[in-house]
């Protein structure tokens, strides 16, 4: 079976590596074009491109997925199946091309958390469990018939980054299982609407793209909600607040159930070992942070070199 793999970030590399390790014939990868990055604005290659180059796999990097030249090049590989992991939305002319279809690995238990940021939103919303799902691509994003899924627990203190790494490896295994089933023709497709009927609700939880305004902390909320917000945006793009008119990103924190004697958003510190912000019903104790223009550091390192204004 000839396979074309489509993906860009590190999350996708684990799946590509697992397919090769299982002996599948990946004839080409499609990934994002090189982009300028860093202070020198040097062109940076995607994680998938680097991996493909190291394993002598042909690489396609189209600017536009409907470009006739790209479509012709893609068709020339005569793929039986296309596999998509953390890529962009495909036009029908692309996903409908191979005879065995195009499958996607998504980092949630569909139909919940369709969208661009499923891991972040699951943690932000305080979920105790998420997972990975494989499905056939259809017209609407993340709505195709489900092939397989596997649940993964979310620890109460885990960040989105830690959940990402667990799902990356679980997803790679599930993808290999899915491709083996497709190769044998031994699989069942479950429409997502059937799962919604079974759950007794028509509502699904969504996972839209995260923007900067989503990252600003509203201190006039329950402490647990703010704590989950910080976990769900760590390490990227990171929840933030303002400290003396500068952006303060918060990566790690803990909850203090103590009733604050100051208004939400105000901070307390001994100037040495702790910095905590008041919320509606307690405090968020900062453990790891990054002030605008500075590197990421522990709160102790920060307080050694920064004088807090009252």
């Amino acid at each position: 079976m000839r396979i074309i793999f489509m993906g860009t970030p590190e999350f996708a590399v684990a799946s590509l590596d697992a397919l090769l390790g299982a002996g599948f014939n990946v004839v080409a990868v499609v990934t994002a074009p090189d982009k300028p990055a860093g202070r020198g604005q040097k062109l940076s290659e995607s994680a998938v491109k680097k991996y493909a180059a190291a394993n002598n796999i042909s690489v396609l990097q189209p600017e536009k997925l409907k470009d006739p030249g790209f479509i012709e090049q893609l068709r020339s590989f005569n793929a039986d199946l296309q596999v998509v992991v953390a890529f962009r939305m495909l036009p029908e002319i692309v996903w409908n091309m191979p005879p065995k279809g195009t499958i996607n690995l998504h980092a949630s238990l569909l139909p919940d958390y369709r969208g661009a940021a499923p891991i972040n939103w699951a943690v932000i919303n305080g979920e105790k469990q998420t997972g990975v799902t494989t499905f056939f691509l259809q017209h609407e994003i993340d709505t195709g018939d489900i092939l397989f899924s596997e649940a993964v627990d979310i620890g109460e203190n885990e960040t989105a980054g830690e959940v990402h790494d667990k799902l990356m490896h679980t997803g790679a295994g599930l993808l290999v299982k899915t491709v083996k089933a497709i190769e044998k023709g031994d699989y069942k497709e479950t429409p997502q609407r059937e799962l919604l009927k079974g759950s007794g609700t028509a509502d699904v939880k969504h996972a839209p793209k995260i923007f900067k305004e989503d990252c600003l902390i509203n201190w006039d909320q329950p402490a647990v909600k703010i704590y989950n917000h910080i976990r769900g945006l760590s390490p990227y793009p990171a929840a933030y607040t303002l400290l003396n008119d500068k952006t303060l990103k918060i990566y790690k924190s803990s909850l203090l159930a103590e009733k604050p004697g100051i208004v939400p958003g105000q901070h307390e510190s001994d100037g040495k070992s702790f910095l905590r912000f008041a919320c509606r019903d307690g405090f968020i104790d900062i453990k790891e942070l990054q002030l605008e223009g500075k590197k990421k550091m522990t709160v102790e390192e920060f307080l050694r070199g920064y004088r807090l204004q009252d």
Side-chain angles (χ1 to χ4, degrees):
M1 195 161 63
R2 294 172 64 82
I3 296 170
I4 285 178
F5 183 90
M6 301 182 180
T8 295
E10 202 65 46
F11 188 91
V13 172
S15 289
L16 178 55
D17 183 62
L19 288 174
L20 292 183
F24 286 109
N25 181 25
V26 179
V27 294
V29 304
V30 182
T31 191
D34 298 349
K35 290 181 180 173
R39 288 184 180 176
Q41 289 291 285
K42 289 182 180 176
L43 284 179
S44 173
E45 299 175 334
S46 76
V48 164
K49 180 182 178 181
K50 288 175 184 171
Y51 181 90
N55 288 274
N56 298 312
I57 304 170
S58 296
V59 176
L60 307 180
Q61 295 178 276
E63 288 283 351
K64 294 180 179 176
L65 296 174
K66 290 182 179 177
D67 179 79
F70 166 65
I71 299 297
E72 188 180 333
Q73 203 176 7
L74 195 63
R75 197 171 272 125
S76 72
F77 283 99
N78 293 315
D80 300 296
L81 176 73
Q82 288 175 162
V83 173
V84 180
V85 183
F87 196 52
R88 46 191 163 149
M89 193 170 174
L90 301 181
E92 183 174 0
I93 193 169
V94 172
W95 60 256
N96 208 17
M97 190 182 293
K100 292 185 183 292
T102 298
I103 60 168
N104 183 223
L105 171 70
H106 187 71
S108 81
L109 294 174
L110 290 172
D112 278 334
Y113 295 108
R114 295 169 178 164
I119 301 172
N120 301 99
W121 285 110
V123 180
I124 289 169
N125 290 340
E127 300 287 1
K128 301 287 187 266
Q129 193 178 68
T130 184
V132 282
T133 305
T134 52
F135 65 96
F136 277 113
L137 283 186
Q138 290 180 355
H139 287 95
E140 303 238 354
I141 193 162
D142 300 335
T143 60
D145 293 348
I146 288 172
L147 294 163
F148 298 98
S149 62
E150 187 170 340
V152 171
D153 290 336
I154 300 176
E156 61 181 290
N157 299 315
E158 282 186 325
T159 64
E162 290 163 336
V163 177
H164 166 283
D165 291 351
K166 290 202 296 191
L167 293 178
M168 179 171 68
H169 297 297
T170 303
L174 189 73
L175 185 64
V176 169
K177 174 183 175 180
T178 303
V179 175
K180 283 180 177 176
I182 290 171
E183 190 173 42
K184 292 175 185 170
D186 181 21
Y187 60 89
K188 176 177 170 256
E189 295 178 55
T190 305
Q192 292 190 35
R193 63 179 176 275
E194 284 186 17
L195 295 175
L196 283 171
K197 279 182 194 170
S199 69
T201 176
D203 295 328
V204 296
K205 297 167 186 172
H206 295 284
K209 185 176 179 180
I210 289 171
F211 295 95
K212 188 175 181 182
E213 53 266 32
D214 299 312
C215 302
L216 179 62
I217 297 169
N218 175 7
W219 294 107
D220 193 21
Q221 288 184 317
V224 69
K225 189 165 184 180
I226 297 171
Y227 178 65
N228 291 339
H229 185 230
I230 291 167
R231 289 193 302 129
L233 295 172
S234 179
Y236 182 83
Y240 75 94
T241 189
L242 293 177
L243 183 68
N244 302 331
D245 296 324
K246 287 194 171 183
T247 298
L248 183 76
K249 291 183 177 180
I250 302 171
Y251 296 96
K252 286 186 181 173
S253 65
S254 64
L255 285 166
L256 286 175
E258 188 181 312
K259 188 74 178 168
I262 53 177
V263 299
Q266 287 190 335
H267 62 265
E268 291 183 347
S269 176
D270 63 355
K272 295 176 185 175
S273 62
F274 75 83
L275 170 62
R276 59 194 191 187
F277 284 81
C279 17
R280 188 191 297 172
D281 58 354
F283 285 95
I284 294 291
D285 197 21
I286 312 303
K287 301 296 183 188
E288 191 174 82
L289 50 77
Q290 183 177 17
L291 187 67
E292 187 180 325
K294 304 286 185 183
K295 65 175 186 176
K296 187 191 290 189
M297 61 186 80
T298 65
V299 72
E300 293 86 359
E301 289 170 328
F302 172 72
L303 291 172
R304 275 202 297 270
Y306 188 82
R307 184 177 173 83
L308 289 166
Q309 295 173 13
D310 294 329

